[in-house]
Amino acid sequence: MRILLALFLFLIPNFASAELHEVEMLNRNETGSMVYSPNFLRISSGDSVRFLATRPGHNAASIDCMIPDGATPFKGKINEEIEITFSIPGLYGIKCTPHFAMGMVMLIQVGPTPALPHNLPAELPSRARDRLLAYIAELSE
Ligand SMILES: [Cu+2]
């Protein structure tokens, strides 16, 4: 009985604190074509995000120049439903590798609102850049 209680107390905090969020990878929705839905997420440190292959031909990968210091880059394969746990707070840029130039990107804010960038790296494709700036403007509101 005492062991069960200890196990119970040990497990509860994990259930209470870590959430799983889902993001769909889509060809089109009301916001445009080649999109993640939602296109930005605010989550807590330790939460996970699962990228769903709702439509074929997409993946989810971190944008090299847009993850916090110390965070590990990731890259899913096309049609692969990856689940990533975000433990380092900050702002993460996510891209679909084949549709990066078409602006298939999203933002994940982990933990409290970080200092939002006013400038984005010059090497971003312009459509990805435009969408990221729009999402950042929404995050700032
Ligand atoms: Cu895509």
Side-chain angles (χ1 to χ4, degrees):
M1 192 62 199
R2 196 167 290 177
I3 290 170
L4 274 179
L5 181 65
L7 191 63
F8 185 69
L9 291 176
F10 173 76
L11 290 173
I12 284 295
N14 292 322
F15 283 125
S17 60
E19 271 188 69
L20 174 64
H21 307 264
E22 292 188 332
V23 172
E24 292 189 293
M25 302 190 281
L26 301 174
N27 296 346
R28 166 167 291 282
N29 70 4
E30 67 283 357
T31 71
S33 60
M34 302 307 172
V35 286
Y36 293 99
S37 178
N39 52 35
F40 70 83
L41 271 181
R42 286 189 177 89
I43 67 174
S44 301
S45 186
D47 284 2
S48 300
V49 176
R50 182 182 292 154
F51 294 90
L52 302 174
T54 307
R55 289 288 177 269
H58 306 286
N59 76 334
S62 53
I63 299 175
D64 290 340
C65 47
M66 287 192 67
I67 59 173
D69 289 343
T72 308
F74 60 88
K75 183 177 181 181
K77 296 187 177 74
I78 302 295
N79 300 326
E80 188 187 8
E81 302 203 337
I82 54 170
E83 190 176 310
I84 304 292
T85 300
F86 293 86
S87 31
I88 296 183
L91 194 64
Y92 293 72
I94 311 296
K95 68 176 176 183
C96 170
T97 309
H99 303 124
F100 192 26
M102 295 176 72
M104 186 161 173
V105 289
M106 73 169 293
L107 285 176
I108 299 177
Q109 177 200 319
V110 179
T113 308
L116 295 170
H118 294 290
N119 292 305
L120 292 177
E123 63 265 35
L124 291 174
S126 63
R127 291 183 72 177
R129 203 184 157 77
D130 290 349
R131 281 188 177 172
L132 288 168
L133 287 171
Y135 305 156
I136 288 171
E138 288 181 62
L139 276 173
S140 315
E141 280 168 9

